[in-house]
Amino acid sequence: MENKYKLNIPHKGRMLLIDGIVDINFNEILTFSNIKKDNVFYDNSENDGIDSYIFTEYAAQTAAAYNGALENSTDDKRIGFLLNIKKADCYIDKVKAGNIVYIFVKETLKDGNIAYYDGNVIIYNDDIKSIEEYKNIISSDNIKKVMDCSVMVMESSTKNLEF
């Protein structure tokens, strides 16, 4: 899958859950993730997979990717602290390795450093090239939805934080 946009978020190593940005526009972003068994949240028991509620973290990282794409400098990454999960409607139990998930997030309200995002996650094992294509796909009846969510995130610049 081609990455047109740089993934500018502070997550590293096994905590980086999204693989790239598909498309971004005024207040929306679409990212993707190839689900693998070495994922930090993957349950390798006989009922293997990633629990669907975990995809709220994927939505939060997608929100961070949206804000990171708006930054002009990679020196000033935005950290997003997940403050509240307002809604998390899960439609399946787990997502198994070998699947591709697409994470769509829309910024619905921004007030200073606090922003609200609505999002959804689907399993779609083919390339999606744009937000417009995603919206056409998700409106079809045979799509495998993982979840819908609404999250509140507080953003902070790493320049203002002491480690």
Side-chain angles (χ1 to χ4, degrees), residues 50-70:
I50 299 173
D51 291 315
S52 59
Y53 68 87
I54 295 295
F55 288 91
T56 54
E57 174 60 24
Y58 285 69
Q61 286 191 22
T62 297
Y66 172 77
N67 286 299
L70 299 177

Side-chain angles (χ1 to χ4, degrees), residues 14 35-44 48 96-98:
R14 293 185 65 204
I35 304 301
K36 298 179 181 122
K37 286 191 174 198
D38 67 350
N39 183 296
V40 69
F41 294 109
Y42 202 88
D43 175 6
N44 284 301
D48 69 336
K96 297 194 180 296

Side-chain angles (χ1 to χ4, degrees), residues 54-139:
I54 295 295
F55 288 91
T56 54
E57 174 60 24
Y58 285 69
Q61 286 191 22
T62 297
Y66 172 77
N67 286 299
L70 299 177
E71 293 300 314
N72 292 326
S73 167
T74 58
D75 296 336
D76 187 21
K77 290 186 168 89
R78 298 287 174 182
I79 296 176
F81 299 96
L82 189 57
L83 294 178
N84 185 5
I85 300 170
K86 184 176 167 185
K87 174 181 96 164
D89 295 331
C90 300
Y91 303 107
I92 61 174
D93 289 334
K94 294 189 182 256
V95 177
K96 297 194 180 296
N99 285 299
I100 300 170
V101 294
Y102 286 88
I103 308 98
F104 172 80
V105 167
K106 179 176 184 172
E107 185 178 73
T108 56
L109 178 69
K110 185 167 178 91
D111 185 13
N113 288 345
I114 294 178
Y116 294 85
Y117 298 91
D118 289 335
N120 52 55
V121 180
I122 64 168
I123 296 172
Y124 193 77
N125 292 316
D126 216 346
D127 282 351
I128 299 177
K129 304 227 184 308
S130 69
I131 289 173
E132 184 178 316
E133 182 182 354
Y134 175 82
K135 288 179 178 180
N136 289 333
I137 290 167
I138 199 160
S139 66

